[in-house]
Amino acid sequence: MISLDNTIEIDAALAQSFKRNGHAVVRGLASAQEVSEYLPAIKSATQLLRSDERPMSERDTYGKAFIQSMNLWTVDPVAREFVMAKRFAKVAADLMGVDGVRLYHDQALFKEPGGGITPWHQDHVYWPLDTTNTITMWMPLVDVPNEIGSVVFASGSHERGDLGGSEIGDDSQSHFDRLIEREKFDLVSYAPMRAGDASFHAGWVLHGAPANETATMRSVMTIIYFADGVRVGEIDSPMRRADDERWLGSLPTGALAASPMNPLLWSR
Ligand SMILES: O=C(O)CCC(=O)C(=O)O
């Protein structure tokens, strides 16, 4: 397996633009050759961990958005190498401007042919982490043409904290549709993307994605990082309780967020 542990430098201007907009893209972060080596293992781990087997017609809007499988690194050694990659983790640290990053969790987001929209949402409403220094790497493992589209980000929305849309679904979609119209956020997408390009987004940035009306599976792998040294935040909703149990080893509010599920992936 080709190692993904060599690191790269990003432009200071990219980190500044990430800070301002809450999102950025790094083209060619993995090569087509690297992606093709890791894809089979990621695909099979995604199928293995798939929890919702219902046909599309029986799923709600969120369920239609994608096959969502989490923490592939715990079930497959090749997926583990991908998720632990120092190259990806260092870019995450550099964009956030921190000295080290830990894993929150990974997730495969495979938008099937005929898959619906990813409703507008903010990730951080789910996360009991006492920081705004969180970031998701979103990397397509297949070329994503304009007809499929990639994530759409509302630039600068991360500066506004919780914008009130709560859980992802029909309600968050209509709430944020109205908000975007009212606040005139600049909407940015990095489509088309090549396999191995990666977008990065801040935990509080408002984002969603278009439906997949093509016959191609939009195979995407994501890795969510937070700054090393962060503590567990308020566990003030059932969603945050569930996340604490699932991704932070049920640590209490105030504890260092560094359970065995949160390995240090990069440190200066
Ligand atoms: O892949 C998508 O459609 C949405 C991605 C997303 O919401 C995320 O990675 O936070």
Side-chain angles (χ1 to χ4, degrees):
M1 200 57 54
I2 311 177
S3 167
L4 300 169
D5 281 343
N6 65 314
T7 55
I8 62 159
E9 298 299 324
I10 57 158
D11 276 358
L14 192 70
Q16 278 159 15
S17 141
F18 175 79
K19 199 164 185 285
R20 196 169 53 249
N21 295 320
H23 56 83
V25 71
V26 179
R27 304 276 175 193
L29 184 56
S31 68
Q33 165 76 24
E34 288 166 340
V35 168
S36 69
E37 284 211 19
Y38 285 87
L39 182 57
I42 291 175
K43 267 189 184 164
S44 59
T46 300
Q47 286 306 331
L48 180 76
L49 293 173
R50 179 176 184 172
S51 56
D52 190 349
E53 298 279 359
R54 289 173 300 169
M56 188 79 75
S57 59
E58 289 173 22
R59 300 185 220 156
D60 64 7
T61 303
Y62 182 27
K64 284 182 178 138
F66 31 59
I67 299 169
Q68 181 175 22
S69 298
M70 293 159 171
N71 269 1
L72 276 53
W73 73 278
T74 60
V75 300
D76 184 282
V78 175
R80 186 175 200 286
E81 269 190 56
F82 186 92
V83 173
M84 301 287 143
K86 289 192 173 54
R87 190 192 305 162
F88 305 159
K90 178 176 180 288
V91 172
D94 286 350
L95 287 173
M96 286 196 287
V98 299
D99 287 336
V101 288
R102 287 185 180 272
L103 177 66
Y104 187 49
H105 63 85
D106 69 50
Q107 55 184 356
L109 298 173
F110 282 24
K111 201 181 278 289
E112 298 145 281
I117 61 158
T118 306
W120 293 118
H121 64 285
Q122 292 178 291
D123 300 330
H124 213 115
V125 293
Y126 290 90
W127 298 348
L129 290 167
D130 190 16
T131 183
T132 52
N133 256 336
T134 55
I135 198 166
T136 299
M137 183 193 84
W138 189 96
M139 181 184 281
L141 307 174
V142 293
D143 290 348
V144 173
N146 273 322
E147 298 78 63
I148 299 182
S150 58
V151 181
V152 181
F153 303 104
S155 290
S157 52
H158 63 306
E159 299 284 11
R160 306 273 299 272
D162 188 345
L163 290 165
S166 194
E167 267 177 87
I168 180 170
D170 291 327
D171 289 350
S172 71
Q173 179 69 10
S174 50
H175 173 85
F176 285 125
D177 265 342
R178 285 194 299 273
L179 187 97
I180 288 164
E181 173 69 27
R182 196 170 66 237
E183 306 276 333
K184 308 270 181 280
F185 281 115
D186 191 17
L187 300 180
V188 174
S189 149
Y190 295 112
M193 291 177 78
R194 306 295 300 267
D197 290 350
S199 66
F200 287 82
H201 63 270
W204 277 118
V205 85
L206 171 59
H207 59 286
N212 181 3
E213 285 161 9
T214 74
T216 303
M217 176 76 93
R218 192 211 67 179
S219 307
V220 165
M221 186 63 182
T222 68
I223 306 172
I224 305 166
Y225 309 89
F226 61 85
D228 182 31
V230 158
R231 293 186 179 272
V232 177
E234 293 300 325
I235 302 173
D236 49 6
S237 67
M239 301 180 304
R240 285 185 170 164
R241 163 79 48 210
D243 260 42
D244 183 52
E245 286 167 6
R246 212 162 167 204
W247 314 126
L248 294 167
S250 297
L251 288 169
T253 299
L256 205 55
S259 84
M261 297 300 281
N262 314 113
L264 185 64
L265 299 188
W266 166 257
S267 152
R268 259 170 240 294

PDB file of all heavy atoms in Angstrom, residues 18 31 53 76 83 149 193 254:
ATOM      1  N   PHE A  18      -9.257  30.029   4.539  1.00  0.00           N
ATOM      2  CA  PHE A  18     -10.070  29.076   5.327  1.00  0.00           C
ATOM      3  C   PHE A  18     -10.637  29.777   6.565  1.00  0.00           C
ATOM      4  O   PHE A  18     -11.810  29.610   6.908  1.00  0.00           O
ATOM      5  CB  PHE A  18      -9.220  27.866   5.737  1.00  0.00           C
ATOM      6  CG  PHE A  18      -9.973  26.930   6.639  1.00  0.00           C
ATOM      7  CD1 PHE A  18     -10.902  26.042   6.116  1.00  0.00           C
ATOM      8  CD2 PHE A  18      -9.803  26.990   8.011  1.00  0.00           C
ATOM      9  CE1 PHE A  18     -11.653  25.219   6.957  1.00  0.00           C
ATOM     10  CE2 PHE A  18     -10.541  26.171   8.857  1.00  0.00           C
ATOM     11  CZ  PHE A  18     -11.459  25.286   8.329  1.00  0.00           C
ATOM     12  N   SER A  31      -3.114  11.243  -4.954  1.00  0.00           N
ATOM     13  CA  SER A  31      -3.059  11.032  -6.407  1.00  0.00           C
ATOM     14  C   SER A  31      -4.134  10.014  -6.815  1.00  0.00           C
ATOM     15  O   SER A  31      -4.644   9.263  -5.959  1.00  0.00           O
ATOM     16  CB  SER A  31      -1.676  10.510  -6.801  1.00  0.00           C
ATOM     17  OG  SER A  31      -1.518   9.193  -6.277  1.00  0.00           O
ATOM     18  N   GLU A  53     -30.442  -0.418   5.419  1.00  0.00           N
ATOM     19  CA  GLU A  53     -30.522  -1.234   4.191  1.00  0.00           C
ATOM     20  C   GLU A  53     -31.835  -0.991   3.445  1.00  0.00           C
ATOM     21  O   GLU A  53     -32.126  -1.667   2.467  1.00  0.00           O
ATOM     22  CB  GLU A  53     -30.436  -2.731   4.546  1.00  0.00           C
ATOM     23  CG  GLU A  53     -29.126  -3.161   5.208  1.00  0.00           C
ATOM     24  CD  GLU A  53     -27.991  -3.385   4.220  1.00  0.00           C
ATOM     25  OE1 GLU A  53     -28.206  -3.238   3.007  1.00  0.00           O
ATOM     26  OE2 GLU A  53     -26.871  -3.688   4.688  1.00  0.00           O
ATOM     27  N   ASP A  76     -11.017  -2.028   9.379  1.00  0.00           N
ATOM     28  CA  ASP A  76     -10.233  -2.420   8.202  1.00  0.00           C
ATOM     29  C   ASP A  76      -8.841  -1.772   8.249  1.00  0.00           C
ATOM     30  O   ASP A  76      -8.732  -0.551   8.370  1.00  0.00           O
ATOM     31  CB  ASP A  76     -10.970  -1.970   6.934  1.00  0.00           C
ATOM     32  CG  ASP A  76     -10.242  -2.440   5.695  1.00  0.00           C
ATOM     33  OD1 ASP A  76      -9.218  -1.813   5.317  1.00  0.00           O
ATOM     34  OD2 ASP A  76     -10.679  -3.441   5.105  1.00  0.00           O
ATOM     35  N   VAL A  83      -7.208   6.787   7.094  1.00  0.00           N
ATOM     36  CA  VAL A  83      -7.730   7.719   8.104  1.00  0.00           C
ATOM     37  C   VAL A  83      -6.597   8.294   8.970  1.00  0.00           C
ATOM     38  O   VAL A  83      -6.644   9.442   9.388  1.00  0.00           O
ATOM     39  CB  VAL A  83      -8.812   7.020   8.966  1.00  0.00           C
ATOM     40  CG1 VAL A  83      -9.255   7.888  10.134  1.00  0.00           C
ATOM     41  CG2 VAL A  83     -10.011   6.651   8.092  1.00  0.00           C
ATOM     42  N   GLY A 149     -22.042  17.284  -8.485  1.00  0.00           N
ATOM     43  CA  GLY A 149     -21.840  18.404  -7.559  1.00  0.00           C
ATOM     44  C   GLY A 149     -21.193  17.946  -6.269  1.00  0.00           C
ATOM     45  O   GLY A 149     -21.344  16.795  -5.867  1.00  0.00           O
ATOM     46  N   MET A 193     -14.764  18.042  -9.023  1.00  0.00           N
ATOM     47  CA  MET A 193     -13.589  17.610  -8.267  1.00  0.00           C
ATOM     48  C   MET A 193     -13.072  16.304  -8.844  1.00  0.00           C
ATOM     49  O   MET A 193     -13.855  15.481  -9.323  1.00  0.00           O
ATOM     50  CB  MET A 193     -13.944  17.434  -6.778  1.00  0.00           C
ATOM     51  CG  MET A 193     -14.241  18.772  -6.080  1.00  0.00           C
ATOM     52  SD  MET A 193     -14.741  18.588  -4.348  1.00  0.00           S
ATOM     53  CE  MET A 193     -13.169  18.297  -3.531  1.00  0.00           C
ATOM     54  N   GLY A 254     -15.696  18.737  30.315  1.00  0.00           N
ATOM     55  CA  GLY A 254     -14.496  19.262  30.989  1.00  0.00           C
ATOM     56  C   GLY A 254     -13.284  18.348  30.863  1.00  0.00           C
ATOM     57  O   GLY A 254     -12.150  18.795  31.035  1.00  0.00           O
TER      58      GLY A 254
END
